Amino acid sequence: MPDVTTDSAEAASTAAKLHGEAAFFDVDNTLMKGASLFHVARKMYQKKAFTLRDAAGFAWKQATFILRGENMSDVHSIQDSAKKLAAGISSDFVRQLGEEVYDEMIVSKIWPGTRALTQEHLKSGRQVWLVTATPVEVAGVIAQRLSLTGALGTVAEVDGGLYTGRIVGEILHGAAKGRAVRELAAQQGLDLSRCWAYSDSYNDIPLLTTVGNPVAINPDAKLRRHAREHNWPIYDYRSGRRAATLGLQAATGAGVVYGLWKGLASMRRK
């Protein structure tokens, strides 16, 4: 069973158990713009947990993630970097870091439309869960701050209160999300045919097809085609879709990279 946080929405959770319905939300590019793990890395750099070179690597991956969407190689690259950097760091430090990251960086990145969907599900008496490759400590903070039922996230191994740099089980991504949701449904008595799932990425097809009501939010090109072919609802909260043309994407990419470089240079001077 994946690690689960259940710090909030007790009344909604109790009501949902009566009729077996829930909604599952991906985080990166679905609930919020960009990759949540990037902001954790940025905060860790500010606290001198690792070097400017490491931070620059995360910044580049964040830029490509925003511009072209999620793909498996990017996700595993970010996760591998994070595991190596986290080795020897206190788990309590990361939980505190999650609180600071939410207040300073994540809350302003949340899509209002997706936030409204979570609240509508809660008002209807459904459980609302985050399902993400983000570390469960950070995912749990986001769920708690948004008054959601809980979060499923990637679990890092801890020994003596410190991260070992290894993962417990598997990264919660792709097919692993579908397995985690099925396990949770069995535990909570949920009828998945009457549940919802939301994601931006074609890689989350295993999550989306696990439920009876899949929805694409800010979808990448492959997920958009798949959603249209299967008559799934599509919500796009991005201004002007995603840069409209390849030429504009390239120009935007250059600006993002330059901005990130300038930002990191400013952080280094400080």
Side-chain angles (χ1 to χ4, degrees):
M1 179 67 197
D3 199 6
V4 174
T5 63
T6 54
D7 296 322
S8 60
E10 182 177 349
S13 179
T14 300
K17 289 179 181 178
L18 297 178
H19 56 71
E21 295 183 8
F24 303 97
F25 286 81
D26 173 49
V27 172
D28 297 342
N29 277 347
T30 302
L31 179 67
M32 60 171 284
K33 181 179 180 180
S36 51
L37 193 58
F38 164 74
H39 299 293
V40 175
R42 178 181 169 189
K43 174 59 70 173
M44 290 176 71
Y45 169 75
Q46 290 176 354
K47 291 182 176 292
K48 304 186 185 302
F50 52 77
T51 67
L52 180 64
R53 181 186 295 272
D54 297 324
F58 273 100
W60 173 256
K61 291 167 185 174
Q62 168 79 341
T64 57
F65 188 86
I66 291 174
L67 289 172
R68 73 186 184 194
E70 174 183 294
N71 65 61
M72 290 296 289
S73 62
D74 286 341
V75 170
H76 287 294
S77 177
I78 292 173
Q79 290 285 344
D80 288 342
S81 298
K83 285 189 292 182
K84 293 174 183 176
L85 294 172
I89 292 177
S90 163
S91 57
D92 289 337
F93 169 78
V94 172
R95 276 188 285 271
Q96 179 183 352
L97 198 76
E99 299 281 353
E100 296 180 20
V101 167
Y102 181 86
D103 289 332
E104 298 175 19
M105 302 168 189
I106 291 178
V107 67
S108 63
K109 306 291 184 185
I110 291 175
W111 299 107
T114 309
R115 173 79 171 104
L117 287 171
T118 66
Q119 295 307 296
E120 286 302 313
H121 282 296
L122 287 173
K123 289 177 183 178
S124 298
R126 300 185 187 99
Q127 297 184 26
V128 177
W129 292 84
L130 301 182
V131 186
T132 176
T134 294
V136 70
E137 293 87 352
V138 177
V141 169
I142 299 173
Q144 183 179 23
R145 292 301 191 88
L146 296 178
S147 299
L148 309 183
T149 309
L152 304 176
T154 298
V155 183
E157 183 182 73
V158 177
D159 184 14
L162 303 178
Y163 288 115
T164 65
R166 294 185 292 270
I167 295 295
V168 177
E170 56 188 336
I171 294 173
L172 205 61
H173 190 262
K177 287 188 177 181
R179 288 191 289 271
V181 165
R182 287 192 292 273
E183 290 180 20
L184 180 69
Q187 181 191 58
Q188 298 285 320
L190 301 174
D191 180 353
L192 289 174
S193 69
R194 294 191 286 130
C195 290
W196 279 254
Y198 299 83
S199 179
D200 71 293
S201 174
Y202 185 80
N203 293 323
D204 280 345
I205 289 293
L207 166 65
L208 294 167
T209 55
T210 297
V211 303
N213 301 284
V215 181
I217 291 186
N218 305 328
D220 58 32
K222 290 180 67 176
L223 179 58
R224 184 179 293 276
R225 286 195 299 269
H226 187 91
R228 285 174 173 167
E229 290 169 0
H230 293 80
N231 295 316
W232 293 356
I234 299 174
Y235 301 145
D236 203 323
Y237 301 124
R238 296 165 295 193
S239 177
R241 291 275 297 275
R242 280 193 66 202
T245 68
L246 290 176
L248 184 54
Q249 278 193 338
T252 304
V256 169
V257 172
Y258 177 76
L260 288 170
W261 178 81
K262 292 292 287 184
L264 288 170
S266 175
M267 289 163 62
R268 179 171 56 181
R269 285 194 301 271
K270 292 179 180 179

